[in-house]
Amino acid sequence: MEQHSTSPSRAADRLRRWRSATEPPLVFAALVFIGAYAWPAVDPDLSPRWRDLCGALIAVVWAVFAIDYAVRLYLSPDRWTFVRQNLLDLLIVVLPVLRPLHLVRLLTVVSLLHRHMSVSLRGHVLLYTAGITVVMLVMASVSVLRAEQSAPGANITTLTDAFWWSLVTVSTVGYGDLYPVTDTGRLIAAFLFVMGIGLLGVITGTLSTWLVQRVEDDNGTRERAADENTARQLRELTEQVRELRAELGRVGATAEPAPPRSGRADP
């Protein structure tokens, strides 16, 4: 009975240790994936040998993340809960078309940074938002470039154009000078639309919370100052009343008449 009660705790501890040990290698694997995924798109004249190498590296990274998912699933004390809470990881492993989402693993860099920093909750939100934005821009730029580069009538043919299009799209500006012509590119654009609106909402909410907190802090500071001033005035008034009472007591003592003598005088 005791072993059954401690087994989930032991499994959760092993899962935490596995995640802590594999975070740096997975970040490195994500960086390798970025290079292997982006190189053929950035250099259209890349030789077939290097293209095959990039494809092999992408397959190796996919295998690494698949193994990591399988190990975490095995170590999880509640496997069904783990599957529900990590649906994106499962889709990345199962569906090859979602392999560019391996770039989301770069957010573990932000997580590692948090371990060596002490910031407020607002700082956490802003840091994660910045990390998500950078990863999303890189992912979308490389993906749309690979989808559009060789399509007929495409106008997104360089990495610079792709990054500019991603930046304009995620910010919901939408100049219209660059636009996707393939179905994959349009799907990426729809993803950026939704994420851009979400990011603007997070930034707006964070700034609003900061402003409200500043106003509340200022009001609280003024109220505390007013309370301290009132308390100081009450102490001064109390001291003055005490001094007045003492002074009145001394004046009354000196002005008190002498008592009359008793008895009658001799005739």
Side-chain angles (χ1 to χ4, degrees), residues 133-134 136-138 140-141 144 159-175 178 192 196 199:
T133 303
V134 172
M136 184 172 54
L137 288 175
V138 173
S141 300
V144 78
L159 184 61
T160 304
D161 292 339
F163 188 79
W164 170 251
W165 172 83
S166 299
L167 185 62
V168 169
T169 303
V170 78
S171 63
T172 68
V173 175
Y175 284 117
L178 299 173
L192 283 179
L199 288 175

mmCIF file with all atom_site columns, all heavy atoms in Angstrom, residues 133-134 136-138 140-141 144 159-175 178 192 196 199:
data_model
loop_
_atom_site.group_PDB
_atom_site.id
_atom_site.type_symbol
_atom_site.label_atom_id
_atom_site.label_alt_id
_atom_site.label_comp_id
_atom_site.label_asym_id
_atom_site.label_entity_id
_atom_site.label_seq_id
_atom_site.pdbx_PDB_ins_code
_atom_site.Cartn_x
_atom_site.Cartn_y
_atom_site.Cartn_z
_atom_site.occupancy
_atom_site.B_iso_or_equiv
_atom_site.pdbx_formal_charge
_atom_site.auth_seq_id
_atom_site.auth_comp_id
_atom_site.auth_asym_id
_atom_site.auth_atom_id
_atom_site.pdbx_PDB_model_num
ATOM 1   N N   . THR A 1 133 ? 7.279  35.283 -29.878 1.00 0.00 ? 133 THR A N   1
ATOM 2   C CA  . THR A 1 133 ? 7.256  36.108 -31.088 1.00 0.00 ? 133 THR A CA  1
ATOM 3   C C   . THR A 1 133 ? 8.452  35.817 -31.980 1.00 0.00 ? 133 THR A C   1
ATOM 4   O O   . THR A 1 133 ? 8.318  35.651 -33.204 1.00 0.00 ? 133 THR A O   1
ATOM 5   C CB  . THR A 1 133 ? 7.238  37.596 -30.700 1.00 0.00 ? 133 THR A CB  1
ATOM 6   O OG1 . THR A 1 133 ? 6.109  37.856 -29.868 1.00 0.00 ? 133 THR A OG1 1
ATOM 7   C CG2 . THR A 1 133 ? 7.159  38.478 -31.941 1.00 0.00 ? 133 THR A CG2 1
ATOM 8   N N   . VAL A 1 134 ? 9.641  35.731 -31.391 1.00 0.00 ? 134 VAL A N   1
ATOM 9   C CA  . VAL A 1 134 ? 10.849 35.460 -32.178 1.00 0.00 ? 134 VAL A CA  1
ATOM 10  C C   . VAL A 1 134 ? 10.767 34.086 -32.837 1.00 0.00 ? 134 VAL A C   1
ATOM 11  O O   . VAL A 1 134 ? 11.039 33.929 -34.039 1.00 0.00 ? 134 VAL A O   1
ATOM 12  C CB  . VAL A 1 134 ? 12.100 35.573 -31.282 1.00 0.00 ? 134 VAL A CB  1
ATOM 13  C CG1 . VAL A 1 134 ? 13.340 35.107 -32.031 1.00 0.00 ? 134 VAL A CG1 1
ATOM 14  C CG2 . VAL A 1 134 ? 12.290 37.007 -30.806 1.00 0.00 ? 134 VAL A CG2 1
ATOM 15  N N   . MET A 1 136 ? 8.136  32.327 -33.483 1.00 0.00 ? 136 MET A N   1
ATOM 16  C CA  . MET A 1 136 ? 7.055  32.301 -34.473 1.00 0.00 ? 136 MET A CA  1
ATOM 17  C C   . MET A 1 136 ? 7.488  32.991 -35.763 1.00 0.00 ? 136 MET A C   1
ATOM 18  O O   . MET A 1 136 ? 7.197  32.506 -36.867 1.00 0.00 ? 136 MET A O   1
ATOM 19  C CB  . MET A 1 136 ? 5.825  32.978 -33.882 1.00 0.00 ? 136 MET A CB  1
ATOM 20  C CG  . MET A 1 136 ? 4.608  32.931 -34.771 1.00 0.00 ? 136 MET A CG  1
ATOM 21  S SD  . MET A 1 136 ? 3.177  33.552 -33.886 1.00 0.00 ? 136 MET A SD  1
ATOM 22  C CE  . MET A 1 136 ? 3.783  35.141 -33.343 1.00 0.00 ? 136 MET A CE  1
ATOM 23  N N   . LEU A 1 137 ? 8.188  34.111 -35.654 1.00 0.00 ? 137 LEU A N   1
ATOM 24  C CA  . LEU A 1 137 ? 8.641  34.812 -36.852 1.00 0.00 ? 137 LEU A CA  1
ATOM 25  C C   . LEU A 1 137 ? 9.641  33.972 -37.640 1.00 0.00 ? 137 LEU A C   1
ATOM 26  O O   . LEU A 1 137 ? 9.572  33.888 -38.869 1.00 0.00 ? 137 LEU A O   1
ATOM 27  C CB  . LEU A 1 137 ? 9.254  36.156 -36.466 1.00 0.00 ? 137 LEU A CB  1
ATOM 28  C CG  . LEU A 1 137 ? 8.277  37.239 -36.002 1.00 0.00 ? 137 LEU A CG  1
ATOM 29  C CD1 . LEU A 1 137 ? 9.039  38.477 -35.536 1.00 0.00 ? 137 LEU A CD1 1
ATOM 30  C CD2 . LEU A 1 137 ? 7.310  37.609 -37.110 1.00 0.00 ? 137 LEU A CD2 1
ATOM 31  N N   . VAL A 1 138 ? 10.579 33.362 -36.935 1.00 0.00 ? 138 VAL A N   1
ATOM 32  C CA  . VAL A 1 138 ? 11.563 32.517 -37.620 1.00 0.00 ? 138 VAL A CA  1
ATOM 33  C C   . VAL A 1 138 ? 10.876 31.331 -38.292 1.00 0.00 ? 138 VAL A C   1
ATOM 34  O O   . VAL A 1 138 ? 11.134 31.012 -39.463 1.00 0.00 ? 138 VAL A O   1
ATOM 35  C CB  . VAL A 1 138 ? 12.634 32.042 -36.616 1.00 0.00 ? 138 VAL A CB  1
ATOM 36  C CG1 . VAL A 1 138 ? 13.561 31.025 -37.267 1.00 0.00 ? 138 VAL A CG1 1
ATOM 37  C CG2 . VAL A 1 138 ? 13.443 33.220 -36.095 1.00 0.00 ? 138 VAL A CG2 1
ATOM 38  N N   . ALA A 1 140 ? 7.701  30.946 -39.192 1.00 0.00 ? 140 ALA A N   1
ATOM 39  C CA  . ALA A 1 140 ? 6.832  31.338 -40.292 1.00 0.00 ? 140 ALA A CA  1
ATOM 40  C C   . ALA A 1 140 ? 7.638  31.793 -41.505 1.00 0.00 ? 140 ALA A C   1
ATOM 41  O O   . ALA A 1 140 ? 7.282  31.476 -42.646 1.00 0.00 ? 140 ALA A O   1
ATOM 42  C CB  . ALA A 1 140 ? 5.892  32.459 -39.837 1.00 0.00 ? 140 ALA A CB  1
ATOM 43  N N   . SER A 1 141 ? 8.716  32.524 -41.265 1.00 0.00 ? 141 SER A N   1
ATOM 44  C CA  . SER A 1 141 ? 9.534  33.014 -42.387 1.00 0.00 ? 141 SER A CA  1
ATOM 45  C C   . SER A 1 141 ? 10.131 31.868 -43.184 1.00 0.00 ? 141 SER A C   1
ATOM 46  O O   . SER A 1 141 ? 10.048 31.831 -44.417 1.00 0.00 ? 141 SER A O   1
ATOM 47  C CB  . SER A 1 141 ? 10.638 33.934 -41.858 1.00 0.00 ? 141 SER A CB  1
ATOM 48  O OG  . SER A 1 141 ? 10.095 35.042 -41.180 1.00 0.00 ? 141 SER A OG  1
ATOM 49  N N   . VAL A 1 144 ? 7.194  29.721 -44.906 1.00 0.00 ? 144 VAL A N   1
ATOM 50  C CA  . VAL A 1 144 ? 6.553  30.339 -46.064 1.00 0.00 ? 144 VAL A CA  1
ATOM 51  C C   . VAL A 1 144 ? 7.541  30.449 -47.223 1.00 0.00 ? 144 VAL A C   1
ATOM 52  O O   . VAL A 1 144 ? 7.143  30.365 -48.398 1.00 0.00 ? 144 VAL A O   1
ATOM 53  C CB  . VAL A 1 144 ? 5.970  31.716 -45.685 1.00 0.00 ? 144 VAL A CB  1
ATOM 54  C CG1 . VAL A 1 144 ? 7.057  32.787 -45.608 1.00 0.00 ? 144 VAL A CG1 1
ATOM 55  C CG2 . VAL A 1 144 ? 4.880  32.129 -46.664 1.00 0.00 ? 144 VAL A CG2 1
ATOM 56  N N   . LEU A 1 159 ? 14.745 35.185 -48.170 1.00 0.00 ? 159 LEU A N   1
ATOM 57  C CA  . LEU A 1 159 ? 14.534 35.150 -46.726 1.00 0.00 ? 159 LEU A CA  1
ATOM 58  C C   . LEU A 1 159 ? 14.177 36.535 -46.198 1.00 0.00 ? 159 LEU A C   1
ATOM 59  O O   . LEU A 1 159 ? 13.364 36.662 -45.276 1.00 0.00 ? 159 LEU A O   1
ATOM 60  C CB  . LEU A 1 159 ? 15.794 34.631 -46.029 1.00 0.00 ? 159 LEU A CB  1
ATOM 61  C CG  . LEU A 1 159 ? 15.685 34.444 -44.516 1.00 0.00 ? 159 LEU A CG  1
ATOM 62  C CD1 . LEU A 1 159 ? 14.610 33.428 -44.171 1.00 0.00 ? 159 LEU A CD1 1
ATOM 63  C CD2 . LEU A 1 159 ? 17.032 34.011 -43.929 1.00 0.00 ? 159 LEU A CD2 1
ATOM 64  N N   . THR A 1 160 ? 14.734 37.572 -46.797 1.00 0.00 ? 160 THR A N   1
ATOM 65  C CA  . THR A 1 160 ? 14.405 38.933 -46.373 1.00 0.00 ? 160 THR A CA  1
ATOM 66  C C   . THR A 1 160 ? 12.930 39.238 -46.621 1.00 0.00 ? 160 THR A C   1
ATOM 67  O O   . THR A 1 160 ? 12.239 39.789 -45.753 1.00 0.00 ? 160 THR A O   1
ATOM 68  C CB  . THR A 1 160 ? 15.275 39.950 -47.116 1.00 0.00 ? 160 THR A CB  1
ATOM 69  O OG1 . THR A 1 160 ? 16.657 39.637 -46.911 1.00 0.00 ? 160 THR A OG1 1
ATOM 70  C CG2 . THR A 1 160 ? 15.010 41.357 -46.610 1.00 0.00 ? 160 THR A CG2 1
ATOM 71  N N   . ASP A 1 161 ? 12.454 38.866 -47.830 1.00 0.00 ? 161 ASP A N   1
ATOM 72  C CA  . ASP A 1 161 ? 11.029 39.061 -48.116 1.00 0.00 ? 161 ASP A CA  1
ATOM 73  C C   . ASP A 1 161 ? 10.151 38.259 -47.159 1.00 0.00 ? 161 ASP A C   1
ATOM 74  O O   . ASP A 1 161 ? 9.113  38.750 -46.689 1.00 0.00 ? 161 ASP A O   1
ATOM 75  C CB  . ASP A 1 161 ? 10.734 38.644 -49.564 1.00 0.00 ? 161 ASP A CB  1
ATOM 76  C CG  . ASP A 1 161 ? 11.379 39.575 -50.577 1.00 0.00 ? 161 ASP A CG  1
ATOM 77  O OD1 . ASP A 1 161 ? 11.702 40.715 -50.196 1.00 0.00 ? 161 ASP A OD1 1
ATOM 78  O OD2 . ASP A 1 161 ? 11.568 39.149 -51.737 1.00 0.00 ? 161 ASP A OD2 1
ATOM 79  N N   . ALA A 1 162 ? 10.571 37.029 -46.875 1.00 0.00 ? 162 ALA A N   1
ATOM 80  C CA  . ALA A 1 162 ? 9.766  36.176 -45.995 1.00 0.00 ? 162 ALA A CA  1
ATOM 81  C C   . ALA A 1 162 ? 9.694  36.752 -44.586 1.00 0.00 ? 162 ALA A C   1
ATOM 82  O O   . ALA A 1 162 ? 8.623  36.764 -43.966 1.00 0.00 ? 162 ALA A O   1
ATOM 83  C CB  . ALA A 1 162 ? 10.357 34.764 -45.968 1.00 0.00 ? 162 ALA A CB  1
ATOM 84  N N   . PHE A 1 163 ? 10.829 37.238 -44.086 1.00 0.00 ? 163 PHE A N   1
ATOM 85  C CA  . PHE A 1 163 ? 10.822 37.793 -42.736 1.00 0.00 ? 163 PHE A CA  1
ATOM 86  C C   . PHE A 1 163 ? 10.001 39.081 -42.688 1.00 0.00 ? 163 PHE A C   1
ATOM 87  O O   . PHE A 1 163 ? 9.269  39.321 -41.716 1.00 0.00 ? 163 PHE A O   1
ATOM 88  C CB  . PHE A 1 163 ? 12.248 38.052 -42.268 1.00 0.00 ? 163 PHE A CB  1
ATOM 89  C CG  . PHE A 1 163 ? 12.333 38.448 -40.823 1.00 0.00 ? 163 PHE A CG  1
ATOM 90  C CD1 . PHE A 1 163 ? 12.263 37.497 -39.830 1.00 0.00 ? 163 PHE A CD1 1
ATOM 91  C CD2 . PHE A 1 163 ? 12.480 39.778 -40.457 1.00 0.00 ? 163 PHE A CD2 1
ATOM 92  C CE1 . PHE A 1 163 ? 12.329 37.849 -38.485 1.00 0.00 ? 163 PHE A CE1 1
ATOM 93  C CE2 . PHE A 1 163 ? 12.551 40.159 -39.128 1.00 0.00 ? 163 PHE A CE2 1
ATOM 94  C CZ  . PHE A 1 163 ? 12.473 39.180 -38.137 1.00 0.00 ? 163 PHE A CZ  1
ATOM 95  N N   . TRP A 1 164 ? 10.121 39.919 -43.710 1.00 0.00 ? 164 TRP A N   1
ATOM 96  C CA  . TRP A 1 164 ? 9.327  41.148 -43.754 1.00 0.00 ? 164 TRP A CA  1
ATOM 97  C C   . TRP A 1 164 ? 7.831  40.833 -43.804 1.00 0.00 ? 164 TRP A C   1
ATOM 98  O O   . TRP A 1 164 ? 7.029  41.449 -43.100 1.00 0.00 ? 164 TRP A O   1
ATOM 99  C CB  . TRP A 1 164 ? 9.739  41.994 -44.965 1.00 0.00 ? 164 TRP A CB  1
ATOM 100 C CG  . TRP A 1 164 ? 8.831  43.157 -45.228 1.00 0.00 ? 164 TRP A CG  1
ATOM 101 C CD1 . TRP A 1 164 ? 7.948  43.294 -46.257 1.00 0.00 ? 164 TRP A CD1 1
ATOM 102 C CD2 . TRP A 1 164 ? 8.702  44.343 -44.437 1.00 0.00 ? 164 TRP A CD2 1
ATOM 103 N NE1 . TRP A 1 164 ? 7.282  44.473 -46.172 1.00 0.00 ? 164 TRP A NE1 1
ATOM 104 C CE2 . TRP A 1 164 ? 7.717  45.153 -45.064 1.00 0.00 ? 164 TRP A CE2 1
ATOM 105 C CE3 . TRP A 1 164 ? 9.314  44.801 -43.277 1.00 0.00 ? 164 TRP A CE3 1
ATOM 106 C CZ2 . TRP A 1 164 ? 7.337  46.389 -44.553 1.00 0.00 ? 164 TRP A CZ2 1
ATOM 107 C CZ3 . TRP A 1 164 ? 8.939  46.041 -42.769 1.00 0.00 ? 164 TRP A CZ3 1
ATOM 108 C CH2 . TRP A 1 164 ? 7.963  46.817 -43.408 1.00 0.00 ? 164 TRP A CH2 1
ATOM 109 N N   . TRP A 1 165 ? 7.472  39.846 -44.633 1.00 0.00 ? 165 TRP A N   1
ATOM 110 C CA  . TRP A 1 165 ? 6.061  39.455 -44.712 1.00 0.00 ? 165 TRP A CA  1
ATOM 111 C C   . TRP A 1 165 ? 5.567  38.932 -43.369 1.00 0.00 ? 165 TRP A C   1
ATOM 112 O O   . TRP A 1 165 ? 4.459  39.280 -42.930 1.00 0.00 ? 165 TRP A O   1
ATOM 113 C CB  . TRP A 1 165 ? 5.895  38.384 -45.793 1.00 0.00 ? 165 TRP A CB  1
ATOM 114 C CG  . TRP A 1 165 ? 4.528  37.790 -45.810 1.00 0.00 ? 165 TRP A CG  1
ATOM 115 C CD1 . TRP A 1 165 ? 3.408  38.299 -46.413 1.00 0.00 ? 165 TRP A CD1 1
ATOM 116 C CD2 . TRP A 1 165 ? 4.105  36.582 -45.155 1.00 0.00 ? 165 TRP A CD2 1
ATOM 117 N NE1 . TRP A 1 165 ? 2.327  37.485 -46.180 1.00 0.00 ? 165 TRP A NE1 1
ATOM 118 C CE2 . TRP A 1 165 ? 2.726  36.424 -45.416 1.00 0.00 ? 165 TRP A CE2 1
ATOM 119 C CE3 . TRP A 1 165 ? 4.770  35.618 -44.394 1.00 0.00 ? 165 TRP A CE3 1
ATOM 120 C CZ2 . TRP A 1 165 ? 2.011  35.340 -44.926 1.00 0.00 ? 165 TRP A CZ2 1
ATOM 121 C CZ3 . TRP A 1 165 ? 4.061  34.545 -43.904 1.00 0.00 ? 165 TRP A CZ3 1
ATOM 122 C CH2 . TRP A 1 165 ? 2.692  34.415 -44.171 1.00 0.00 ? 165 TRP A CH2 1
ATOM 123 N N   . SER A 1 166 ? 6.373  38.109 -42.683 1.00 0.00 ? 166 SER A N   1
ATOM 124 C CA  . SER A 1 166 ? 5.966  37.573 -41.385 1.00 0.00 ? 166 SER A CA  1
ATOM 125 C C   . SER A 1 166 ? 5.801  38.679 -40.356 1.00 0.00 ? 166 SER A C   1
ATOM 126 O O   . SER A 1 166 ? 4.834  38.688 -39.580 1.00 0.00 ? 166 SER A O   1
ATOM 127 C CB  . SER A 1 166 ? 7.003  36.554 -40.891 1.00 0.00 ? 166 SER A CB  1
ATOM 128 O OG  . SER A 1 166 ? 7.116  35.472 -41.786 1.00 0.00 ? 166 SER A OG  1
ATOM 129 N N   . LEU A 1 167 ? 6.725  39.634 -40.354 1.00 0.00 ? 167 LEU A N   1
ATOM 130 C CA  . LEU A 1 167 ? 6.652  40.734 -39.393 1.00 0.00 ? 167 LEU A CA  1
ATOM 131 C C   . LEU A 1 167 ? 5.421  41.596 -39.641 1.00 0.00 ? 167 LEU A C   1
ATOM 132 O O   . LEU A 1 167 ? 4.707  41.980 -38.697 1.00 0.00 ? 167 LEU A O   1
ATOM 133 C CB  . LEU A 1 167 ? 7.923  41.576 -39.481 1.00 0.00 ? 167 LEU A CB  1
ATOM 134 C CG  . LEU A 1 167 ? 8.078  42.700 -38.461 1.00 0.00 ? 167 LEU A CG  1
ATOM 135 C CD1 . LEU A 1 167 ? 8.124  42.134 -37.047 1.00 0.00 ? 167 LEU A CD1 1
ATOM 136 C CD2 . LEU A 1 167 ? 9.342  43.504 -38.743 1.00 0.00 ? 167 LEU A CD2 1
ATOM 137 N N   . VAL A 1 168 ? 5.134  41.897 -40.906 1.00 0.00 ? 168 VAL A N   1
ATOM 138 C CA  . VAL A 1 168 ? 3.972  42.716 -41.237 1.00 0.00 ? 168 VAL A CA  1
ATOM 139 C C   . VAL A 1 168 ? 2.678  41.968 -40.920 1.00 0.00 ? 168 VAL A C   1
ATOM 140 O O   . VAL A 1 168 ? 1.703  42.550 -40.434 1.00 0.00 ? 168 VAL A O   1
ATOM 141 C CB  . VAL A 1 168 ? 4.024  43.117 -42.720 1.00 0.00 ? 168 VAL A CB  1
ATOM 142 C CG1 . VAL A 1 168 ? 2.709  43.744 -43.153 1.00 0.00 ? 168 VAL A CG1 1
ATOM 143 C CG2 . VAL A 1 168 ? 5.177  44.076 -42.970 1.00 0.00 ? 168 VAL A CG2 1
ATOM 144 N N   . THR A 1 169 ? 2.680  40.660 -41.165 1.00 0.00 ? 169 THR A N   1
ATOM 145 C CA  . THR A 1 169 ? 1.465  39.881 -40.945 1.00 0.00 ? 169 THR A CA  1
ATOM 146 C C   . THR A 1 169 ? 1.169  39.702 -39.467 1.00 0.00 ? 169 THR A C   1
ATOM 147 O O   . THR A 1 169 ? 0.022  39.871 -39.024 1.00 0.00 ? 169 THR A O   1
ATOM 148 C CB  . THR A 1 169 ? 1.592  38.504 -41.621 1.00 0.00 ? 169 THR A CB  1
ATOM 149 O OG1 . THR A 1 169 ? 1.873  38.688 -43.015 1.00 0.00 ? 169 THR A OG1 1
ATOM 150 C CG2 . THR A 1 169 ? 0.316  37.702 -41.465 1.00 0.00 ? 169 THR A CG2 1
ATOM 151 N N   . VAL A 1 170 ? 2.179  39.357 -38.666 1.00 0.00 ? 170 VAL A N   1
ATOM 152 C CA  . VAL A 1 170 ? 1.941  39.113 -37.251 1.00 0.00 ? 170 VAL A CA  1
ATOM 153 C C   . VAL A 1 170 ? 1.574  40.389 -36.507 1.00 0.00 ? 170 VAL A C   1
ATOM 154 O O   . VAL A 1 170 ? 0.878  40.358 -35.489 1.00 0.00 ? 170 VAL A O   1
ATOM 155 C CB  . VAL A 1 170 ? 3.181  38.449 -36.610 1.00 0.00 ? 170 VAL A CB  1
ATOM 156 C CG1 . VAL A 1 170 ? 4.278  39.472 -36.334 1.00 0.00 ? 170 VAL A CG1 1
ATOM 157 C CG2 . VAL A 1 170 ? 2.803  37.726 -35.324 1.00 0.00 ? 170 VAL A CG2 1
ATOM 158 N N   . SER A 1 171 ? 2.016  41.530 -37.022 1.00 0.00 ? 171 SER A N   1
ATOM 159 C CA  . SER A 1 171 ? 1.663  42.807 -36.401 1.00 0.00 ? 171 SER A CA  1
ATOM 160 C C   . SER A 1 171 ? 0.293  43.306 -36.865 1.00 0.00 ? 171 SER A C   1
ATOM 161 O O   . SER A 1 171 ? -0.127 44.395 -36.461 1.00 0.00 ? 171 SER A O   1
ATOM 162 C CB  . SER A 1 171 ? 2.724  43.860 -36.701 1.00 0.00 ? 171 SER A CB  1
ATOM 163 O OG  . SER A 1 171 ? 2.808  44.107 -38.091 1.00 0.00 ? 171 SER A OG  1
ATOM 164 N N   . THR A 1 172 ? -0.373 42.539 -37.733 1.00 0.00 ? 172 THR A N   1
ATOM 165 C CA  . THR A 1 172 ? -1.702 42.854 -38.283 1.00 0.00 ? 172 THR A CA  1
ATOM 166 C C   . THR A 1 172 ? -1.704 44.152 -39.086 1.00 0.00 ? 172 THR A C   1
ATOM 167 O O   . THR A 1 172 ? -2.747 44.783 -39.251 1.00 0.00 ? 172 THR A O   1
ATOM 168 C CB  . THR A 1 172 ? -2.780 42.929 -37.168 1.00 0.00 ? 172 THR A CB  1
ATOM 169 O OG1 . THR A 1 172 ? -2.523 44.051 -36.339 1.00 0.00 ? 172 THR A OG1 1
ATOM 170 C CG2 . THR A 1 172 ? -2.802 41.661 -36.340 1.00 0.00 ? 172 THR A CG2 1
ATOM 171 N N   . VAL A 1 173 ? -0.536 44.575 -39.585 1.00 0.00 ? 173 VAL A N   1
ATOM 172 C CA  . VAL A 1 173 ? -0.470 45.775 -40.430 1.00 0.00 ? 173 VAL A CA  1
ATOM 173 C C   . VAL A 1 173 ? -0.959 45.437 -41.836 1.00 0.00 ? 173 VAL A C   1
ATOM 174 O O   . VAL A 1 173 ? -1.854 46.084 -42.374 1.00 0.00 ? 173 VAL A O   1
ATOM 175 C CB  . VAL A 1 173 ? 0.953  46.339 -40.463 1.00 0.00 ? 173 VAL A CB  1
ATOM 176 C CG1 . VAL A 1 173 ? 1.036  47.506 -41.449 1.00 0.00 ? 173 VAL A CG1 1
ATOM 177 C CG2 . VAL A 1 173 ? 1.376  46.802 -39.073 1.00 0.00 ? 173 VAL A CG2 1
ATOM 178 N N   . GLY A 1 174 ? -0.354 44.407 -42.439 1.00 0.00 ? 174 GLY A N   1
ATOM 179 C CA  . GLY A 1 174 ? -0.824 43.925 -43.731 1.00 0.00 ? 174 GLY A CA  1
ATOM 180 C C   . GLY A 1 174 ? -0.709 44.936 -44.851 1.00 0.00 ? 174 GLY A C   1
ATOM 181 O O   . GLY A 1 174 ? -1.722 45.408 -45.377 1.00 0.00 ? 174 GLY A O   1
ATOM 182 N N   . TYR A 1 175 ? 0.521  45.282 -45.255 1.00 0.00 ? 175 TYR A N   1
ATOM 183 C CA  . TYR A 1 175 ? 0.697  46.227 -46.354 1.00 0.00 ? 175 TYR A CA  1
ATOM 184 C C   . TYR A 1 175 ? 0.163  45.683 -47.674 1.00 0.00 ? 175 TYR A C   1
ATOM 185 O O   . TYR A 1 175 ? -0.338 46.424 -48.508 1.00 0.00 ? 175 TYR A O   1
ATOM 186 C CB  . TYR A 1 175 ? 2.177  46.577 -46.519 1.00 0.00 ? 175 TYR A CB  1
ATOM 187 C CG  . TYR A 1 175 ? 2.683  47.527 -45.467 1.00 0.00 ? 175 TYR A CG  1
ATOM 188 C CD1 . TYR A 1 175 ? 3.674  47.140 -44.579 1.00 0.00 ? 175 TYR A CD1 1
ATOM 189 C CD2 . TYR A 1 175 ? 2.173  48.815 -45.360 1.00 0.00 ? 175 TYR A CD2 1
ATOM 190 C CE1 . TYR A 1 175 ? 4.145  48.006 -43.615 1.00 0.00 ? 175 TYR A CE1 1
ATOM 191 C CE2 . TYR A 1 175 ? 2.642  49.689 -44.392 1.00 0.00 ? 175 TYR A CE2 1
ATOM 192 C CZ  . TYR A 1 175 ? 3.622  49.284 -43.519 1.00 0.00 ? 175 TYR A CZ  1
ATOM 193 O OH  . TYR A 1 175 ? 4.085  50.145 -42.565 1.00 0.00 ? 175 TYR A OH  1
ATOM 194 N N   . LEU A 1 178 ? 3.593  42.000 -50.186 1.00 0.00 ? 178 LEU A N   1
ATOM 195 C CA  . LEU A 1 178 ? 3.969  40.599 -50.317 1.00 0.00 ? 178 LEU A CA  1
ATOM 196 C C   . LEU A 1 178 ? 2.816  39.746 -49.794 1.00 0.00 ? 178 LEU A C   1
ATOM 197 O O   . LEU A 1 178 ? 2.201  40.078 -48.782 1.00 0.00 ? 178 LEU A O   1
ATOM 198 C CB  . LEU A 1 178 ? 5.246  40.296 -49.529 1.00 0.00 ? 178 LEU A CB  1
ATOM 199 C CG  . LEU A 1 178 ? 6.502  41.081 -49.952 1.00 0.00 ? 178 LEU A CG  1
ATOM 200 C CD1 . LEU A 1 178 ? 7.640  40.817 -48.978 1.00 0.00 ? 178 LEU A CD1 1
ATOM 201 C CD2 . LEU A 1 178 ? 6.928  40.712 -51.365 1.00 0.00 ? 178 LEU A CD2 1
ATOM 202 N N   . LEU A 1 192 ? -0.492 33.071 -38.522 1.00 0.00 ? 192 LEU A N   1
ATOM 203 C CA  . LEU A 1 192 ? 0.093  34.325 -38.055 1.00 0.00 ? 192 LEU A CA  1
ATOM 204 C C   . LEU A 1 192 ? -0.983 35.342 -37.678 1.00 0.00 ? 192 LEU A C   1
ATOM 205 O O   . LEU A 1 192 ? -0.804 36.119 -36.735 1.00 0.00 ? 192 LEU A O   1
ATOM 206 C CB  . LEU A 1 192 ? 1.012  34.913 -39.126 1.00 0.00 ? 192 LEU A CB  1
ATOM 207 C CG  . LEU A 1 192 ? 2.384  34.260 -39.277 1.00 0.00 ? 192 LEU A CG  1
ATOM 208 C CD1 . LEU A 1 192 ? 3.171  34.943 -40.383 1.00 0.00 ? 192 LEU A CD1 1
ATOM 209 C CD2 . LEU A 1 192 ? 3.156  34.307 -37.976 1.00 0.00 ? 192 LEU A CD2 1
ATOM 210 N N   . GLY A 1 196 ? -0.960 36.763 -34.082 1.00 0.00 ? 196 GLY A N   1
ATOM 211 C CA  . GLY A 1 196 ? -0.736 38.198 -33.950 1.00 0.00 ? 196 GLY A CA  1
ATOM 212 C C   . GLY A 1 196 ? -1.781 38.872 -33.082 1.00 0.00 ? 196 GLY A C   1
ATOM 213 O O   . GLY A 1 196 ? -1.466 39.705 -32.223 1.00 0.00 ? 196 GLY A O   1
ATOM 214 N N   . LEU A 1 199 ? -1.055 37.902 -29.494 1.00 0.00 ? 199 LEU A N   1
ATOM 215 C CA  . LEU A 1 199 ? 0.087  38.615 -28.940 1.00 0.00 ? 199 LEU A CA  1
ATOM 216 C C   . LEU A 1 199 ? -0.267 40.053 -28.603 1.00 0.00 ? 199 LEU A C   1
ATOM 217 O O   . LEU A 1 199 ? 0.143  40.585 -27.557 1.00 0.00 ? 199 LEU A O   1
ATOM 218 C CB  . LEU A 1 199 ? 1.256  38.570 -29.931 1.00 0.00 ? 199 LEU A CB  1
ATOM 219 C CG  . LEU A 1 199 ? 1.954  37.227 -30.088 1.00 0.00 ? 199 LEU A CG  1
ATOM 220 C CD1 . LEU A 1 199 ? 2.999  37.302 -31.193 1.00 0.00 ? 199 LEU A CD1 1
ATOM 221 C CD2 . LEU A 1 199 ? 2.605  36.804 -28.779 1.00 0.00 ? 199 LEU A CD2 1
#
